[in-house]
Amino acid sequence: MTMSDAGSQTEKVALAEHWVARALEDVSISEVPRQALAQFEDRRVALNVVAATDTGDRWLWYTGAAAKREAVFDDRLAPLVACGRLDGAFYVAYDVGKAVPLAAYREQTEMSTAQSLQLLWTLARALDTAVANGILPVEVTPDSVFVDLARGAVLADLGVARAALGNPPAAIDMNAPWVAPEILLDGEPHERSAVYSYGALMYTLMTGAPPHSGHPDEIVAAEPPSVREVRPDLPEALDLVISTAMARDPRRRYRSASEARSLAHVVLQDSLAQPESKPKLRIPLRLPERQPREPRERSRTEPPARATRSVPRAALLVGAALAAGVVGGVLLSGGDEAPAAKPVRVVKGDLAVTAPGGWQSAPAAAGTLVAHPEGDPGSGLTLERVDSPVETGEQATPVRVGKVEAWRDSGAQVAGGATAVRYVIPTASGKLVATCKASRNAEPGTLGQCERALSTLRLPAATSLPLADVVESQQRWEAAVARLSEQRAGARRALATAERPAGQLLAAQALARVHERAATRFAALPGGADVAAASRRTAAAYEALARAAGTDSASRWNAARERVRRSEAALRRAIAAA
């Protein structure tokens, strides 16, 4: 959203010089950007100030960077409302509304994992919005983050001073732990520089500490930090997510902050879903006071060589889950008996697995494969194609099944099975549901044999879907439905209260536009074609209602209202069925 798009939603704050001077009285201004939060009239303003020589070129660069940041804001990016200079210092001001600085949470002893997940979600949204609008964040620190109880995280400054004036002296650069290595080396910012800062902020949210310490030269050369060295109660998989986000080579990082957030969400949600076996995660936010570091003699342009860790993107999610031990030592290995010497190939349509010797296939419906030990039909493997998307309740522990990703539920309830494990594999057409069960009379190791047989499943590359993509798609879908509901509610209130034909016409036209825009959003989502079509029919019904409002015909108005009622009902059914 741009300033011009927002209209009267955000008007520029006319900050008088004497007010800025008073707001900065207790701020130690230096070449490292500092922040002050002050109340101005009826709004809270965050001032970001940096000492600078008041030359024409530097001021021109600074105002240029500020103007670029000013052009973009939304509900996650605080609007830049003022830019100025005062006594050898440059400053920008952001309207942060009711949000409070992240550092204010020092007064709290801890935050829940659910609260931290909300902050990570909104932080990713803010950073990706900035990148999508041409702003490459060069400095995103905890001081940039504000917390709003309703909106989650709100980002203010994204490095205006560093982008315009370059890196501050290394000896006093206290923000370096959250800045991407390519920027600390005076290189150009990359689209994935924001991903590095996101990983660093994720580390800080989880530990309450900076991800690195020391001179910027050491930070550039350092390996990504391990969150479990500080918080051993956190999943090991989180280390892999953070280390990938903070890879020194931008090409090895995630493509976006949202991708990193989706993987962290899956890993942390698994910890939340197992309260009996794992303590509820609590996230401290006692951010330490940052002190200037002593200068080092090492050259910033020649950091010491260190081995680079490379993690293939396709293995990140399930590799992390396996590293964390969330599979419980069952999948593909474990203490169960080894399969018999002569395996059996079981094929049904395009589904095929290699079962242990002594197993046999069983008749099943189309799209379903069944195999079980001879003489024990109550045990074995059932693999079924389902033409519906993965539901949120089916998203248990992320694992790898052969070469595909799946969610594993170790406590599945299955008729006829004493114990059972269920896997849900997302596919382009819906999902594959695999169930391994053992009857009360099953031989020892039956479940392990079943899971090893399932690990031989092979699917075409275009068939299975990464878990992170499924989670992201669901969140986009939920956001689209919520946005339609919110916009439609306001427009329908306007229609209900309109007493004159002119007001009824405008309200009906507004509802038609709401549903046309919603149709565009749903059409861009997987499986959204039916909902998009229903939304377009609803838009057409409201257009008919608008035309009827311009006439004196009560019969036309009533007929149009009935058409609206039917189309709204059809739209609700389409959303429920999607």
Side-chain angles (χ1 to χ4, degrees), residues 142-157:
D143 289 339
S144 309
V145 181
F146 292 78
V147 182
D148 186 285
L149 294 179
R151 294 182 291 167
V154 178
L155 278 179
D157 192 74

PDB file of all heavy atoms in Angstrom, residues 142-157:
ATOM      1  N   PRO A 142      15.959  -6.068  16.742  1.00  0.00           N
ATOM      2  CA  PRO A 142      14.858  -6.046  17.710  1.00  0.00           C
ATOM      3  C   PRO A 142      14.312  -4.649  17.963  1.00  0.00           C
ATOM      4  O   PRO A 142      13.130  -4.495  18.284  1.00  0.00           O
ATOM      5  CB  PRO A 142      15.497  -6.641  18.971  1.00  0.00           C
ATOM      6  CG  PRO A 142      16.556  -7.553  18.450  1.00  0.00           C
ATOM      7  CD  PRO A 142      17.119  -6.850  17.243  1.00  0.00           C
ATOM      8  N   ASP A 143      15.157  -3.622  17.802  1.00  0.00           N
ATOM      9  CA  ASP A 143      14.672  -2.245  17.984  1.00  0.00           C
ATOM     10  C   ASP A 143      13.711  -1.834  16.875  1.00  0.00           C
ATOM     11  O   ASP A 143      12.977  -0.858  17.025  1.00  0.00           O
ATOM     12  CB  ASP A 143      15.852  -1.268  18.011  1.00  0.00           C
ATOM     13  CG  ASP A 143      16.675  -1.408  19.283  1.00  0.00           C
ATOM     14  OD1 ASP A 143      16.129  -1.931  20.279  1.00  0.00           O
ATOM     15  OD2 ASP A 143      17.845  -0.999  19.284  1.00  0.00           O
ATOM     16  N   SER A 144      13.720  -2.547  15.748  1.00  0.00           N
ATOM     17  CA  SER A 144      12.804  -2.245  14.650  1.00  0.00           C
ATOM     18  C   SER A 144      11.427  -2.845  14.856  1.00  0.00           C
ATOM     19  O   SER A 144      10.487  -2.501  14.146  1.00  0.00           O
ATOM     20  CB  SER A 144      13.373  -2.778  13.318  1.00  0.00           C
ATOM     21  OG  SER A 144      14.691  -2.358  13.100  1.00  0.00           O
ATOM     22  N   VAL A 145      11.327  -3.772  15.823  1.00  0.00           N
ATOM     23  CA  VAL A 145      10.098  -4.555  15.988  1.00  0.00           C
ATOM     24  C   VAL A 145       9.238  -3.955  17.090  1.00  0.00           C
ATOM     25  O   VAL A 145       9.720  -3.699  18.200  1.00  0.00           O
ATOM     26  CB  VAL A 145      10.429  -6.027  16.320  1.00  0.00           C
ATOM     27  CG1 VAL A 145       9.146  -6.838  16.476  1.00  0.00           C
ATOM     28  CG2 VAL A 145      11.315  -6.628  15.236  1.00  0.00           C
ATOM     29  N   PHE A 146       7.972  -3.759  16.779  1.00  0.00           N
ATOM     30  CA  PHE A 146       6.993  -3.302  17.756  1.00  0.00           C
ATOM     31  C   PHE A 146       5.893  -4.349  17.840  1.00  0.00           C
ATOM     32  O   PHE A 146       5.568  -5.007  16.852  1.00  0.00           O
ATOM     33  CB  PHE A 146       6.430  -1.943  17.354  1.00  0.00           C
ATOM     34  CG  PHE A 146       7.435  -0.824  17.443  1.00  0.00           C
ATOM     35  CD1 PHE A 146       8.398  -0.658  16.462  1.00  0.00           C
ATOM     36  CD2 PHE A 146       7.433   0.042  18.518  1.00  0.00           C
ATOM     37  CE1 PHE A 146       9.339   0.349  16.548  1.00  0.00           C
ATOM     38  CE2 PHE A 146       8.373   1.052  18.618  1.00  0.00           C
ATOM     39  CZ  PHE A 146       9.325   1.213  17.632  1.00  0.00           C
ATOM     40  N   VAL A 147       5.336  -4.491  19.020  1.00  0.00           N
ATOM     41  CA  VAL A 147       4.335  -5.528  19.261  1.00  0.00           C
ATOM     42  C   VAL A 147       2.988  -4.883  19.530  1.00  0.00           C
ATOM     43  O   VAL A 147       2.866  -4.040  20.419  1.00  0.00           O
ATOM     44  CB  VAL A 147       4.736  -6.432  20.442  1.00  0.00           C
ATOM     45  CG1 VAL A 147       3.701  -7.529  20.643  1.00  0.00           C
ATOM     46  CG2 VAL A 147       6.113  -7.032  20.201  1.00  0.00           C
ATOM     47  N   ASP A 148       2.011  -5.264  18.726  1.00  0.00           N
ATOM     48  CA  ASP A 148       0.642  -4.799  18.879  1.00  0.00           C
ATOM     49  C   ASP A 148      -0.217  -6.004  19.260  1.00  0.00           C
ATOM     50  O   ASP A 148      -0.140  -7.050  18.615  1.00  0.00           O
ATOM     51  CB  ASP A 148       0.142  -4.173  17.579  1.00  0.00           C
ATOM     52  CG  ASP A 148      -1.227  -3.540  17.720  1.00  0.00           C
ATOM     53  OD1 ASP A 148      -2.207  -4.309  17.783  1.00  0.00           O
ATOM     54  OD2 ASP A 148      -1.326  -2.309  17.758  1.00  0.00           O
ATOM     55  N   LEU A 149      -1.020  -5.874  20.307  1.00  0.00           N
ATOM     56  CA  LEU A 149      -1.793  -7.014  20.787  1.00  0.00           C
ATOM     57  C   LEU A 149      -2.760  -7.521  19.739  1.00  0.00           C
ATOM     58  O   LEU A 149      -3.096  -8.706  19.706  1.00  0.00           O
ATOM     59  CB  LEU A 149      -2.557  -6.627  22.057  1.00  0.00           C
ATOM     60  CG  LEU A 149      -1.681  -6.308  23.275  1.00  0.00           C
ATOM     61  CD1 LEU A 149      -2.547  -5.922  24.455  1.00  0.00           C
ATOM     62  CD2 LEU A 149      -0.786  -7.483  23.635  1.00  0.00           C
ATOM     63  N   ALA A 150      -3.231  -6.628  18.851  1.00  0.00           N
ATOM     64  CA  ALA A 150      -4.196  -7.041  17.838  1.00  0.00           C
ATOM     65  C   ALA A 150      -3.523  -7.502  16.552  1.00  0.00           C
ATOM     66  O   ALA A 150      -3.956  -8.449  15.912  1.00  0.00           O
ATOM     67  CB  ALA A 150      -5.162  -5.893  17.527  1.00  0.00           C
ATOM     68  N   ARG A 151      -2.429  -6.827  16.156  1.00  0.00           N
ATOM     69  CA  ARG A 151      -1.816  -7.091  14.853  1.00  0.00           C
ATOM     70  C   ARG A 151      -0.595  -7.976  14.916  1.00  0.00           C
ATOM     71  O   ARG A 151      -0.102  -8.431  13.895  1.00  0.00           O
ATOM     72  CB  ARG A 151      -1.443  -5.766  14.179  1.00  0.00           C
ATOM     73  CG  ARG A 151      -2.620  -4.892  13.810  1.00  0.00           C
ATOM     74  CD  ARG A 151      -2.151  -3.625  13.116  1.00  0.00           C
ATOM     75  NE  ARG A 151      -1.456  -2.746  14.033  1.00  0.00           N
ATOM     76  CZ  ARG A 151      -0.723  -1.692  13.652  1.00  0.00           C
ATOM     77  NH1 ARG A 151      -0.564  -1.447  12.366  1.00  0.00           N
ATOM     78  NH2 ARG A 151      -0.143  -0.924  14.539  1.00  0.00           N
ATOM     79  N   GLY A 152      -0.050  -8.215  16.103  1.00  0.00           N
ATOM     80  CA  GLY A 152       1.189  -8.966  16.191  1.00  0.00           C
ATOM     81  C   GLY A 152       2.378  -8.038  16.043  1.00  0.00           C
ATOM     82  O   GLY A 152       2.437  -6.968  16.649  1.00  0.00           O
ATOM     83  N   ALA A 153       3.355  -8.434  15.224  1.00  0.00           N
ATOM     84  CA  ALA A 153       4.563  -7.633  15.041  1.00  0.00           C
ATOM     85  C   ALA A 153       4.350  -6.554  13.987  1.00  0.00           C
ATOM     86  O   ALA A 153       3.724  -6.791  12.953  1.00  0.00           O
ATOM     87  CB  ALA A 153       5.734  -8.528  14.638  1.00  0.00           C
ATOM     88  N   VAL A 154       4.890  -5.373  14.268  1.00  0.00           N
ATOM     89  CA  VAL A 154       4.869  -4.258  13.325  1.00  0.00           C
ATOM     90  C   VAL A 154       6.316  -3.798  13.160  1.00  0.00           C
ATOM     91  O   VAL A 154       7.012  -3.572  14.149  1.00  0.00           O
ATOM     92  CB  VAL A 154       3.993  -3.100  13.827  1.00  0.00           C
ATOM     93  CG1 VAL A 154       4.032  -1.938  12.851  1.00  0.00           C
ATOM     94  CG2 VAL A 154       2.559  -3.556  14.053  1.00  0.00           C
ATOM     95  N   LEU A 155       6.780  -3.679  11.919  1.00  0.00           N
ATOM     96  CA  LEU A 155       8.148  -3.258  11.654  1.00  0.00           C
ATOM     97  C   LEU A 155       8.194  -1.769  11.339  1.00  0.00           C
ATOM     98  O   LEU A 155       7.373  -1.264  10.574  1.00  0.00           O
ATOM     99  CB  LEU A 155       8.735  -4.042  10.476  1.00  0.00           C
ATOM    100  CG  LEU A 155       9.289  -5.428  10.789  1.00  0.00           C
ATOM    101  CD1 LEU A 155       9.800  -6.092   9.525  1.00  0.00           C
ATOM    102  CD2 LEU A 155      10.418  -5.335  11.810  1.00  0.00           C
ATOM    103  N   ALA A 156       9.156  -1.089  11.918  1.00  0.00           N
ATOM    104  CA  ALA A 156       9.335   0.337  11.632  1.00  0.00           C
ATOM    105  C   ALA A 156      10.533   0.504  10.693  1.00  0.00           C
ATOM    106  O   ALA A 156      10.429   0.267   9.501  1.00  0.00           O
ATOM    107  CB  ALA A 156       9.514   1.114  12.938  1.00  0.00           C
ATOM    108  N   ASP A 157      11.696   0.868  11.233  1.00  0.00           N
ATOM    109  CA  ASP A 157      12.849   1.150  10.379  1.00  0.00           C
ATOM    110  C   ASP A 157      13.437  -0.131   9.808  1.00  0.00           C
ATOM    111  O   ASP A 157      13.572  -1.143  10.502  1.00  0.00           O
ATOM    112  CB  ASP A 157      13.919   1.890  11.190  1.00  0.00           C
ATOM    113  CG  ASP A 157      15.001   2.462  10.299  1.00  0.00           C
ATOM    114  OD1 ASP A 157      14.744   3.467   9.624  1.00  0.00           O
ATOM    115  OD2 ASP A 157      16.103   1.877  10.269  1.00  0.00           O
TER     116      ASP A 157
END
